[in-house]
Amino acid sequence: MTGAPGELVLAEHRGPVLVLTFNRPAKLNAWTDELEDRYFALLDAAEDDPDVRAVVVTGAGRGFCAGADLQQLQAVGEVSEADRARRRPRDVPRTLRKPLIGAINGVAAGLGMVEAVYCDVRFGSPAARFTTAFAQRGLIAEYGISWLLPRLVGHSRAADLLLSSRMVDAEEAFRIGLLDHLVPTGSVVDAAVAYAADLARRCSPASMATIKSQLSNDADGTYADSVARAEGLMLQAFRGSDVVEGVASHLDKRPPDFPSLPVRSSDVPV
């Protein structure tokens, strides 16, 4: 694991999987601007690192992320709109072209729950707990969670979680679809890494990047629009080398050898 002992987010390479760990365990990994900057910088680096094919994010100690650090929130009423403006949108994790897998090891509250929801797939330990927290702090549903949460758990369940700010335990989170995988024993990080490594080993990075964009772009469109876009994307895929390799490796009964994603500055289409 790389980073100084006091580093706010640790990075560890496990083969083709990068594990990022929020590292403020004494504060249940409460979010600060400095932690955000470090996290986003590591995601940026992972985006164009050909050796990274998937990212797992988790928290150190007993929590995933307890939300915004309340010490910083105490002065929020005295901060101007210009002061609150961030250099980058807070939903940077959703723009990652590679799979982002959450290993929810403890409480995910407020902004911490938003960060968990930004992940493509979520694994949870029995200690995982979720609360939106916003209404109990006099806040609103922040950073797109009012759009994302109904698509995960349904409108009325999202309303329940957002209006009440009640705590949801791991069993309920799994039952309502907030967690995709509940890991009853063993390390939730190891389970998430094994899943991510399987994606890295068996799936085309270009295909996964395109599928992620389809899931995002088709969320508000019609079925007919989705089919029409898929037709064009399918033609692009048929012209690429990944289809040839995917079919050949299956027929040869061997692992596929897909190329890494081109860097974002490249003119090569993805």
Side-chain angles (χ1 to χ4, degrees), residues 16-110:
V17 180
L18 176 66
V19 179
L20 300 181
T21 304
F22 301 141
N23 189 37
R24 299 186 73 211
K27 296 286 189 179
L28 293 177
N29 305 311
W31 197 268
T32 65
D33 290 346
E34 294 77 18
L35 184 149
E36 178 179 299
D37 289 340
R38 168 73 173 165
Y39 180 42
F40 288 1
L42 289 167
L43 289 178
D44 277 344
E47 176 68 61
D48 287 332
D49 186 340
D51 294 329
V52 173
R53 297 214 169 179
V55 178
V56 169
V57 60
T58 191
R62 298 182 298 110
F64 176 74
C65 175
D69 191 313
L70 293 181
Q71 296 293 330
Q72 293 190 353
L73 279 183
Q74 279 185 317
V76 72
E78 304 167 5
V79 178
S80 70
E81 184 174 341
D83 291 332
R84 286 199 301 269
R86 301 291 297 136
R87 292 190 299 276
R88 306 177 62 185
R90 196 149 252 159
D91 63 352
V92 163
R94 292 195 72 236
T95 69
L96 186 71
R97 294 179 297 167
K98 301 172 181 183
L100 180 61
I101 313 302
I104 315 303
N105 57 305
V107 67

Coordinates of all heavy atoms in Angstrom, one line a residue, residues 16-110:
P16 N -4.2 -6.2 -11.5 CA -4.8 -5.2 -12.3 C -5.9 -4.4 -11.6 O -6.5 -3.5 -12.2 CB -5.5 -6.0 -13.4 CG -5.9 -7.3 -12.8 CD -4.8 -7.6 -11.8
V17 N -6.0 -4.6 -10.3 CA -7.0 -3.9 -9.5 C -6.3 -2.9 -8.6 O -5.3 -3.2 -7.9 CB -7.8 -4.8 -8.6 CG1 -8.9 -4.1 -7.8 CG2 -8.5 -5.9 -9.5
L18 N -6.8 -1.6 -8.6 CA -6.3 -0.6 -7.7 C -7.2 -0.5 -6.5 O -8.4 -0.3 -6.7 CB -6.1 0.7 -8.4 CG -5.7 1.9 -7.5 CD1 -4.3 1.7 -7.0 CD2 -5.8 3.2 -8.3
V19 N -6.7 -0.7 -5.3 CA -7.6 -0.5 -4.1 C -7.3 0.9 -3.5 O -6.1 1.2 -3.1 CB -7.3 -1.6 -3.1 CG1 -8.1 -1.4 -1.8 CG2 -7.5 -3.0 -3.7
L20 N -8.3 1.7 -3.4 CA -8.2 3.0 -2.7 C -8.9 3.0 -1.4 O -10.0 2.5 -1.3 CB -8.8 4.1 -3.6 CG -8.2 4.2 -5.0 CD1 -8.8 5.3 -5.8 CD2 -6.7 4.5 -4.9
T21 N -8.2 3.4 -0.3 CA -8.8 3.3 1.0 C -8.8 4.7 1.6 O -7.8 5.4 1.8 CB -7.9 2.4 1.9 OG1 -7.8 1.1 1.3 CG2 -8.5 2.3 3.3
F22 N -10.0 5.2 2.0 CA -10.1 6.4 2.7 C -9.5 6.2 4.1 O -9.7 5.2 4.8 CB -11.6 6.8 2.9 CG -12.4 7.0 1.6 CD1 -13.7 6.6 1.5 CD2 -11.8 7.6 0.5 CE1 -14.4 6.7 0.4 CE2 -12.5 7.8 -0.6 CZ -13.8 7.3 -0.7
N23 N -8.6 7.1 4.5 CA -7.7 6.9 5.6 C -7.8 7.9 6.7 O -6.8 8.6 7.0 CB -6.3 6.7 5.1 CG -5.3 6.2 6.1 OD1 -5.7 5.3 7.0 ND2 -4.1 6.7 6.1
R24 N -9.0 8.1 7.3 CA -9.1 8.9 8.5 C -9.9 8.1 9.5 O -11.0 8.4 9.9 CB -9.9 10.2 8.2 CG -9.2 11.1 7.2 CD -10.0 12.5 7.1 NE -9.8 13.3 8.3 CZ -10.7 14.1 8.8 NH1 -11.9 14.2 8.2 NH2 -10.4 14.8 9.9
P25 N -9.4 6.9 9.9 CA -10.2 6.0 10.7 C -10.6 6.5 12.0 O -11.7 6.2 12.5 CB -9.2 4.8 10.9 CG -7.8 5.4 10.7 CD -8.0 6.4 9.6
A26 N -9.9 7.4 12.6 CA -10.3 8.0 13.9 C -11.6 8.9 13.7 O -12.3 9.1 14.7 CB -9.2 8.9 14.5
K27 N -11.8 9.3 12.5 CA -13.0 10.2 12.2 C -14.0 9.4 11.3 O -14.9 10.0 10.7 CB -12.6 11.4 11.5 CG -11.7 12.4 12.3 CD -12.5 13.1 13.4 CE -11.6 14.2 14.0 NZ -12.4 14.9 15.0
L28 N -13.9 8.1 11.3 CA -14.8 7.2 10.4 C -14.7 7.7 9.0 O -15.6 7.7 8.2 CB -16.2 7.2 10.9 CG -16.5 6.5 12.2 CD1 -18.0 6.7 12.6 CD2 -16.1 5.1 12.2
N29 N -13.5 8.2 8.6 CA -13.1 8.6 7.3 C -14.0 9.7 6.8 O -14.4 9.8 5.6 CB -13.2 7.4 6.3 CG -12.3 6.3 6.8 OD1 -11.1 6.5 7.1 ND2 -12.9 5.1 6.9
A30 N -14.4 10.7 7.7 CA -15.2 11.8 7.3 C -14.5 12.6 6.2 O -13.3 12.7 6.2 CB -15.4 12.7 8.6
W31 N -15.3 13.1 5.3 CA -14.9 13.7 4.1 C -14.4 15.1 4.3 O -15.0 15.9 5.0 CB -16.0 13.8 3.1 CG -15.7 14.0 1.7 CD1 -15.7 15.2 1.0 CD2 -15.4 13.0 0.7 NE1 -15.3 15.0 -0.3 CE2 -15.2 13.7 -0.5 CE3 -15.3 11.6 0.8 CZ2 -14.9 13.0 -1.7 CZ3 -15.0 10.9 -0.4 CH2 -14.8 11.6 -1.6
T32 N -13.2 15.5 3.7 CA -12.7 16.8 3.7 C -12.3 17.2 2.3 O -12.2 16.3 1.4 CB -11.5 17.0 4.6 OG1 -10.4 16.2 4.1 CG2 -11.8 16.5 6.1
D33 N -12.1 18.5 2.1 CA -11.7 18.9 0.7 C -10.3 18.2 0.4 O -10.1 17.9 -0.8 CB -11.5 20.4 0.7 CG -12.9 21.1 0.7 OD1 -13.9 20.5 0.5 OD2 -12.9 22.3 1.0
E34 N -9.5 18.1 1.4 CA -8.1 17.5 1.1 C -8.3 16.0 0.7 O -7.6 15.5 -0.2 CB -7.2 17.7 2.3 CG -6.9 19.1 2.6 CD -8.0 19.9 3.3 OE1 -9.0 19.2 3.8 OE2 -8.0 21.1 3.3
L35 N -9.2 15.3 1.4 CA -9.4 13.9 1.1 C -10.0 13.8 -0.3 O -9.5 12.9 -1.1 CB -10.3 13.3 2.1 CG -10.6 11.8 2.0 CD1 -10.8 11.2 3.4 CD2 -11.8 11.5 1.1
E36 N -10.9 14.7 -0.6 CA -11.5 14.6 -2.0 C -10.4 14.9 -3.0 O -10.4 14.2 -4.1 CB -12.6 15.7 -2.0 CG -13.2 15.8 -3.4 CD -14.3 16.9 -3.5 OE1 -15.3 16.8 -2.7 OE2 -14.1 17.9 -4.2
D37 N -9.6 15.8 -2.8 CA -8.6 16.1 -3.8 C -7.6 14.9 -4.1 O -7.3 14.6 -5.2 CB -7.7 17.3 -3.4 CG -8.5 18.7 -3.5 OD1 -9.5 18.7 -4.2 OD2 -8.1 19.6 -2.8
R38 N -7.3 14.3 -3.0 CA -6.4 13.1 -3.1 C -7.1 12.0 -3.8 O -6.6 11.3 -4.7 CB -6.0 12.7 -1.7 CG -5.3 11.3 -1.6 CD -3.9 11.3 -2.1 NE -3.3 10.0 -1.8 CZ -2.2 9.5 -2.4 NH1 -1.6 10.2 -3.3 NH2 -1.7 8.3 -2.1
Y39 N -8.4 11.7 -3.4 CA -9.2 10.6 -4.1 C -9.3 10.9 -5.6 O -9.1 10.0 -6.4 CB -10.5 10.6 -3.4 CG -11.5 9.5 -3.9 CD1 -11.0 8.2 -4.2 CD2 -12.8 9.8 -4.0 CE1 -11.9 7.3 -4.6 CE2 -13.7 8.8 -4.5 CZ -13.3 7.6 -4.8 OH -14.2 6.6 -5.2
F40 N -9.7 12.1 -5.9 CA -9.9 12.4 -7.3 C -8.6 12.3 -8.1 O -8.6 11.9 -9.3 CB -10.5 13.8 -7.5 CG -12.0 13.9 -7.1 CD1 -12.6 12.8 -6.5 CD2 -12.7 15.1 -7.2 CE1 -14.0 12.8 -6.1 CE2 -14.0 15.1 -6.8 CZ -14.6 14.0 -6.3
A41 N -7.5 12.7 -7.5 CA -6.2 12.6 -8.2 C -5.8 11.2 -8.4 O -5.3 10.8 -9.5 CB -5.1 13.3 -7.4
L42 N -6.1 10.3 -7.5 CA -5.8 8.9 -7.7 C -6.7 8.3 -8.7 O -6.3 7.4 -9.5 CB -6.0 8.2 -6.3 CG -4.9 8.4 -5.3 CD1 -5.3 7.9 -3.9 CD2 -3.5 7.8 -5.7
L43 N -8.0 8.7 -8.8 CA -8.9 8.2 -9.8 C -8.4 8.7 -11.2 O -8.4 7.9 -12.2 CB -10.3 8.7 -9.6 CG -11.0 8.0 -8.4 CD1 -12.4 8.7 -8.3 CD2 -11.2 6.5 -8.6
D44 N -7.9 9.9 -11.3 CA -7.4 10.4 -12.5 C -6.2 9.6 -13.0 O -6.1 9.3 -14.2 CB -6.9 11.9 -12.4 CG -8.0 12.9 -12.5 OD1 -9.1 12.5 -13.0 OD2 -7.9 14.0 -12.1
A45 N -5.3 9.3 -12.1 CA -4.1 8.5 -12.4 C -4.5 7.1 -12.8 O -4.0 6.5 -13.8 CB -3.2 8.4 -11.2
A46 N -5.5 6.5 -12.2 CA -6.0 5.2 -12.5 C -6.6 5.2 -13.9 O -6.5 4.2 -14.7 CB -7.0 4.7 -11.5
E47 N -7.3 6.3 -14.3 CA -8.0 6.4 -15.5 C -7.1 6.1 -16.7 O -7.5 5.3 -17.7 CB -8.6 7.8 -15.7 CG -9.3 8.1 -17.0 CD -10.6 7.3 -17.2 OE1 -11.5 7.4 -16.4 OE2 -10.6 6.5 -18.2
D48 N -5.9 6.6 -16.7 CA -5.0 6.4 -17.8 C -3.8 5.5 -17.6 O -2.8 5.5 -18.3 CB -4.5 7.8 -18.3 CG -5.6 8.6 -19.0 OD1 -6.5 8.0 -19.6 OD2 -5.5 9.9 -18.9
D49 N -3.9 4.7 -16.5 CA -2.9 3.7 -16.2 C -3.3 2.4 -16.9 O -4.2 1.8 -16.5 CB -2.7 3.5 -14.7 CG -1.6 2.6 -14.3 OD1 -1.1 1.9 -15.2 OD2 -1.2 2.7 -13.1
P50 N -2.5 2.0 -17.9 CA -2.9 0.7 -18.6 C -2.8 -0.5 -17.7 O -3.4 -1.5 -18.0 CB -1.9 0.7 -19.7 CG -0.7 1.5 -19.2 CD -1.3 2.6 -18.4
D51 N -2.1 -0.4 -16.6 CA -2.0 -1.6 -15.7 C -3.2 -1.7 -14.7 O -3.4 -2.7 -14.0 CB -0.7 -1.5 -14.9 CG 0.5 -1.7 -15.7 OD1 0.4 -2.4 -16.8 OD2 1.5 -1.0 -15.4
V52 N -4.0 -0.6 -14.7 CA -5.2 -0.6 -13.8 C -6.5 -0.9 -14.7 O -6.8 -0.1 -15.6 CB -5.4 0.7 -13.1 CG1 -6.7 0.7 -12.3 CG2 -4.2 0.9 -12.1
R53 N -7.2 -2.0 -14.4 CA -8.4 -2.3 -15.2 C -9.6 -2.2 -14.4 O -10.7 -2.2 -14.9 CB -8.2 -3.7 -15.8 CG -7.1 -3.7 -16.8 CD -7.3 -4.7 -17.9 NE -6.4 -4.5 -19.0 CZ -6.4 -5.2 -20.1 NH1 -7.3 -6.1 -20.3 NH2 -5.5 -5.1 -21.0
A54 N -9.5 -2.0 -13.1 CA -10.7 -1.8 -12.2 C -10.2 -1.2 -10.9 O -9.0 -1.4 -10.5 CB -11.4 -3.1 -11.9
V55 N -11.1 -0.5 -10.2 CA -10.8 0.2 -9.0 C -11.8 -0.3 -7.9 O -13.0 -0.4 -8.1 CB -10.9 1.7 -9.1 CG1 -10.6 2.4 -7.8 CG2 -9.9 2.2 -10.2
V56 N -11.2 -0.6 -6.7 CA -12.0 -0.9 -5.5 C -11.8 0.2 -4.5 O -10.7 0.6 -4.3 CB -11.7 -2.2 -4.9 CG1 -12.3 -2.4 -3.5 CG2 -12.1 -3.4 -5.8
V57 N -12.9 0.8 -3.9 CA -12.8 1.8 -2.9 C -13.4 1.3 -1.6 O -14.5 0.7 -1.6 CB -13.4 3.1 -3.4 CG1 -14.9 3.0 -3.7 CG2 -13.2 4.3 -2.4
T58 N -12.7 1.6 -0.5 CA -13.2 1.2 0.8 C -12.7 2.2 1.8 O -12.2 3.2 1.5 CB -12.6 -0.2 1.1 OG1 -13.3 -0.8 2.3 CG2 -11.1 -0.2 1.3
G59 N -12.9 1.9 3.1 CA -12.5 2.8 4.2 C -11.7 2.0 5.2 O -11.8 0.8 5.4
A60 N -10.8 2.8 5.8 CA -9.9 2.2 6.9 C -10.7 2.2 8.2 O -11.6 3.0 8.5 CB -8.7 3.1 7.1
G61 N -10.4 1.1 9.0 CA -11.1 1.0 10.3 C -12.5 0.6 10.2 O -12.9 -0.3 9.5
R62 N -13.4 1.2 11.1 CA -14.8 0.8 11.3 C -15.8 1.4 10.3 O -16.9 1.0 10.3 CB -15.2 1.1 12.7 CG -14.4 0.3 13.8 CD -15.0 0.7 15.1 NE -14.9 2.1 15.5 CZ -15.9 2.9 15.6 NH1 -17.1 2.5 15.3 NH2 -15.7 4.2 15.9
G63 N -15.3 2.4 9.5 CA -16.3 3.1 8.7 C -15.8 3.1 7.2 O -14.7 3.1 6.9
F64 N -16.8 3.3 6.3 CA -16.5 3.6 4.9 C -16.3 5.1 4.8 O -15.2 5.5 4.4 CB -17.7 3.1 4.0 CG -17.5 3.4 2.6 CD1 -16.6 2.7 1.8 CD2 -18.2 4.5 2.0 CE1 -16.4 3.0 0.5 CE2 -18.1 4.8 0.7 CZ -17.2 4.1 -0.1
C65 N -17.3 5.9 5.1 CA -17.2 7.3 5.1 C -18.4 7.9 5.9 O -19.5 7.7 5.4 CB -17.0 7.9 3.7 SG -17.0 9.7 3.7
A66 N -18.1 8.6 6.9 CA -19.2 9.1 7.8 C -19.8 10.4 7.3 O -20.5 11.1 8.0 CB -18.7 9.3 9.2
G67 N -19.5 10.8 6.0 CA -20.0 12.0 5.4 C -19.0 13.2 5.6 O -17.9 13.0 6.1
A68 N -19.5 14.4 5.4 CA -18.7 15.6 5.5 C -18.3 15.8 6.9 O -19.0 15.5 7.9 CB -19.5 16.8 5.0
D69 N -17.0 16.2 7.1 CA -16.5 16.4 8.4 C -17.3 17.6 9.1 O -17.3 18.7 8.5 CB -15.0 16.8 8.3 CG -14.3 16.8 9.7 OD1 -14.9 17.4 10.6 OD2 -13.2 16.3 9.8
L70 N -18.0 17.3 10.2 CA -18.8 18.3 10.8 C -18.1 19.5 11.3 O -18.6 20.6 11.5 CB -19.6 17.7 12.0 CG -20.6 16.6 11.5 CD1 -21.4 16.0 12.8 CD2 -21.6 17.2 10.5
Q71 N -16.8 19.4 11.6 CA -16.0 20.5 12.0 C -16.0 21.6 10.8 O -16.0 22.8 11.1 CB -14.5 20.1 12.3 CG -14.4 19.2 13.4 CD -14.7 19.8 14.8 OE1 -14.5 21.0 14.9 NE2 -15.3 19.1 15.7
Q72 N -15.9 21.1 9.6 CA -16.0 22.0 8.5 C -17.4 22.5 8.2 O -17.6 23.7 7.8 CB -15.5 21.3 7.2 CG -14.0 21.0 7.2 CD -13.5 20.5 5.9 OE1 -14.2 20.3 4.9 NE2 -12.2 20.3 5.8
L73 N -18.4 21.7 8.5 CA -19.8 22.2 8.3 C -20.2 23.2 9.3 O -21.1 24.0 9.0 CB -20.7 21.0 8.4 CG -20.9 20.1 7.2 CD1 -21.9 19.0 7.5 CD2 -21.3 20.9 6.0
Q74 N -19.5 23.3 10.5 CA -19.9 24.3 11.5 C -19.9 25.7 10.9 O -20.7 26.5 11.3 CB -19.0 24.2 12.7 CG -19.3 23.1 13.6 CD -18.4 23.1 14.9 OE1 -17.2 23.3 14.8 NE2 -19.0 22.9 16.0
A75 N -19.0 26.0 10.0 CA -18.8 27.4 9.5 C -19.5 27.5 8.1 O -19.3 28.6 7.5 CB -17.4 27.7 9.4
V76 N -20.3 26.6 7.7 CA -20.8 26.6 6.4 C -21.7 27.8 6.1 O -21.8 28.4 5.0 CB -21.6 25.3 6.0 CG1 -22.9 25.2 6.8 CG2 -21.8 25.2 4.5
G77 N -22.5 28.3 7.2 CA -23.3 29.4 7.0 C -22.6 30.7 6.8 O -23.2 31.7 6.3
E78 N -21.3 30.7 7.1 CA -20.5 32.0 6.9 C -19.7 32.0 5.6 O -19.0 32.9 5.3 CB -19.5 32.1 8.1 CG -20.2 32.1 9.5 CD -19.2 31.9 10.6 OE1 -18.0 31.9 10.3 OE2 -19.6 31.7 11.8
V79 N -19.9 30.9 4.8 CA -19.1 30.8 3.6 C -19.9 31.3 2.4 O -21.1 31.0 2.3 CB -18.7 29.3 3.4 CG1 -17.9 29.1 2.1 CG2 -17.9 28.8 4.6
S80 N -19.2 32.0 1.6 CA -19.9 32.6 0.4 C -20.1 31.5 -0.7 O -19.4 30.4 -0.6 CB -19.1 33.7 -0.2 OG -17.9 33.2 -0.8
E81 N -20.9 31.8 -1.6 CA -21.1 30.8 -2.7 C -19.8 30.6 -3.5 O -19.5 29.5 -3.9 CB -22.2 31.4 -3.7 CG -22.5 30.4 -4.8 CD -23.7 30.9 -5.7 OE1 -24.4 31.8 -5.2 OE2 -23.8 30.4 -6.8
A82 N -19.0 31.6 -3.7 CA -17.7 31.5 -4.3 C -16.8 30.6 -3.5 O -16.0 29.8 -4.1 CB -17.1 32.9 -4.5
D83 N -16.8 30.7 -2.2 CA -16.0 29.9 -1.3 C -16.4 28.4 -1.4 O -15.5 27.5 -1.3 CB -16.1 30.3 0.1 CG -15.4 31.7 0.4 OD1 -14.5 32.0 -0.4 OD2 -15.9 32.4 1.3
R84 N -17.7 28.2 -1.6 CA -18.1 26.8 -1.6 C -17.9 26.1 -3.0 O -18.0 24.9 -3.1 CB -19.6 26.7 -1.3 CG -19.9 26.9 0.2 CD -21.3 26.4 0.5 NE -22.4 27.1 -0.3 CZ -23.0 28.2 0.1 NH1 -22.7 28.8 1.2 NH2 -23.9 28.7 -0.7
A85 N -17.6 26.9 -4.0 CA -17.4 26.3 -5.3 C -16.2 25.4 -5.4 O -15.1 25.8 -4.9 CB -17.3 27.4 -6.4
R86 N -16.4 24.2 -5.9 CA -15.3 23.3 -6.0 C -14.6 23.4 -7.3 O -15.2 23.8 -8.3 CB -15.8 21.9 -5.8 CG -16.5 21.6 -4.5 CD -15.5 21.6 -3.3 NE -14.5 20.6 -3.5 CZ -13.2 20.8 -3.2 NH1 -12.7 22.0 -2.9 NH2 -12.4 19.8 -3.3
R87 N -13.3 23.1 -7.4 CA -12.6 23.2 -8.7 C -13.1 22.2 -9.7 O -13.1 22.4 -10.9 CB -11.1 22.9 -8.4 CG -10.4 24.0 -7.6 CD -8.9 23.9 -7.7 NE -8.5 22.6 -7.1 CZ -8.3 22.4 -5.8 NH1 -8.6 23.4 -4.9 NH2 -7.9 21.3 -5.3
R88 N -13.7 21.1 -9.1 CA -14.2 20.0 -10.0 C -15.5 19.5 -9.5 O -15.8 19.6 -8.3 CB -13.2 18.8 -10.0 CG -11.8 19.2 -10.4 CD -10.8 18.1 -10.3 NE -11.2 17.0 -11.2 CZ -10.6 15.8 -11.3 NH1 -9.6 15.6 -10.5 NH2 -11.0 15.0 -12.2
P89 N -16.4 19.0 -10.4 CA -17.7 18.5 -9.9 C -17.4 17.3 -8.9 O -16.5 16.6 -9.0 CB -18.3 17.9 -11.2 CG -17.5 18.3 -12.3 CD -16.2 18.8 -11.8
R90 N -18.4 17.2 -8.0 CA -18.2 16.1 -6.9 C -18.4 14.7 -7.5 O -18.1 13.7 -6.8 CB -19.0 16.5 -5.7 CG -18.6 15.7 -4.5 CD -18.9 16.5 -3.2 NE -17.7 17.0 -2.6 CZ -17.7 18.1 -1.7 NH1 -18.9 18.7 -1.5 NH2 -16.6 18.5 -1.2
D91 N -19.1 14.6 -8.6 CA -19.4 13.3 -9.2 C -18.3 12.8 -10.1 O -18.6 11.9 -10.9 CB -20.7 13.3 -9.9 CG -20.8 14.2 -11.1 OD1 -19.8 14.9 -11.3 OD2 -21.8 14.2 -11.8
V92 N -17.1 13.2 -9.9 CA -15.9 12.7 -10.7 C -15.9 11.2 -10.7 O -15.6 10.6 -11.8 CB -14.6 13.3 -10.1 CG1 -13.4 12.5 -10.6 CG2 -14.5 14.8 -10.5
P93 N -16.1 10.5 -9.6 CA -16.1 9.0 -9.6 C -17.0 8.4 -10.7 O -16.7 7.3 -11.3 CB -16.5 8.6 -8.2 CG -16.1 9.7 -7.4 CD -16.4 10.9 -8.2
R94 N -18.1 9.0 -11.0 CA -19.0 8.5 -12.0 C -18.5 8.6 -13.4 O -19.0 8.0 -14.3 CB -20.4 9.2 -11.9 CG -21.2 8.9 -10.7 CD -22.6 9.3 -10.8 NE -23.4 8.4 -11.7 CZ -24.1 8.7 -12.7 NH1 -24.1 10.0 -13.1 NH2 -24.7 7.8 -13.4
T95 N -17.5 9.4 -13.6 CA -16.9 9.6 -15.0 C -15.8 8.6 -15.3 O -15.3 8.6 -16.4 CB -16.4 11.0 -15.1 OG1 -15.2 11.2 -14.3 CG2 -17.4 12.1 -14.8
L96 N -15.4 7.8 -14.3 CA -14.3 6.8 -14.5 C -14.8 5.8 -15.5 O -15.9 5.2 -15.4 CB -14.0 6.1 -13.2 CG -12.8 5.2 -13.2 CD1 -11.5 5.9 -13.3 CD2 -12.8 4.3 -11.9
R97 N -14.0 5.6 -16.6 CA -14.4 4.6 -17.6 C -14.3 3.2 -17.1 O -14.9 2.3 -17.7 CB -13.6 4.8 -18.9 CG -13.8 6.2 -19.6 CD -12.9 6.3 -20.8 NE -11.5 6.3 -20.4 CZ -10.5 6.2 -21.3 NH1 -10.7 5.9 -22.5 NH2 -9.2 6.2 -20.8
K98 N -13.5 2.9 -16.1 CA -13.2 1.6 -15.6 C -14.2 1.3 -14.5 O -14.7 2.1 -13.8 CB -11.8 1.5 -15.1 CG -10.8 1.8 -16.2 CD -9.3 1.9 -15.8 CE -8.4 2.3 -16.9 NZ -7.0 2.4 -16.6
P99 N -14.4 0.0 -14.3 CA -15.3 -0.4 -13.2 C -14.9 0.1 -11.8 O -13.7 0.0 -11.5 CB -15.3 -1.9 -13.2 CG -14.9 -2.3 -14.6 CD -14.0 -1.2 -15.0
L100 N -15.8 0.7 -11.1 CA -15.5 1.2 -9.7 C -16.4 0.4 -8.8 O -17.6 0.5 -8.8 CB -15.9 2.7 -9.6 CG -15.6 3.4 -8.3 CD1 -14.2 3.3 -7.9 CD2 -16.1 4.8 -8.3
I101 N -15.7 -0.4 -7.9 CA -16.4 -1.3 -7.1 C -16.3 -0.8 -5.6 O -15.2 -0.6 -5.1 CB -15.8 -2.7 -7.2 CG1 -15.6 -3.1 -8.7 CG2 -16.6 -3.7 -6.4 CD1 -16.9 -3.1 -9.5
G102 N -17.4 -0.7 -4.9 CA -17.4 -0.3 -3.5 C -17.3 -1.5 -2.6 O -18.0 -2.5 -2.8
A103 N -16.4 -1.4 -1.6 CA -16.3 -2.4 -0.6 C -16.7 -1.7 0.7 O -15.9 -1.1 1.4 CB -14.9 -3.0 -0.5
I104 N -18.0 -1.8 1.0 CA -18.6 -1.0 2.1 C -18.4 -1.8 3.4 O -19.0 -2.7 3.7 CB -20.1 -0.7 1.9 CG1 -20.3 -0.2 0.4 CG2 -20.5 0.4 2.9 CD1 -19.5 1.0 0.0
N105 N -17.4 -1.3 4.2 CA -17.0 -2.0 5.4 C -17.6 -1.5 6.7 O -17.4 -2.1 7.8 CB -15.5 -1.9 5.5 CG -15.0 -0.5 5.6 OD1 -15.3 0.3 4.7 ND2 -14.3 -0.1 6.6
G106 N -18.4 -0.4 6.6 CA -19.0 0.2 7.8 C -19.9 1.2 7.4 O -20.5 1.2 6.4
V107 N -20.1 2.2 8.3 CA -21.1 3.2 8.0 C -20.8 4.1 6.8 O -19.6 4.4 6.6 CB -21.3 4.2 9.2 CG1 -20.0 5.0 9.5 CG2 -22.5 5.1 9.1
A108 N -21.8 4.3 6.0 CA -21.7 5.2 4.8 C -22.8 6.2 5.0 O -24.0 5.9 4.8 CB -21.8 4.5 3.5
A109 N -22.5 7.4 5.4 CA -23.5 8.4 5.8 C -23.4 9.7 5.0 O -22.2 10.1 4.7 CB -23.4 8.8 7.3
G110 N -24.5 10.3 4.6 CA -24.5 11.6 3.9 C -23.7 11.5 2.7 O -23.9 10.7 1.8

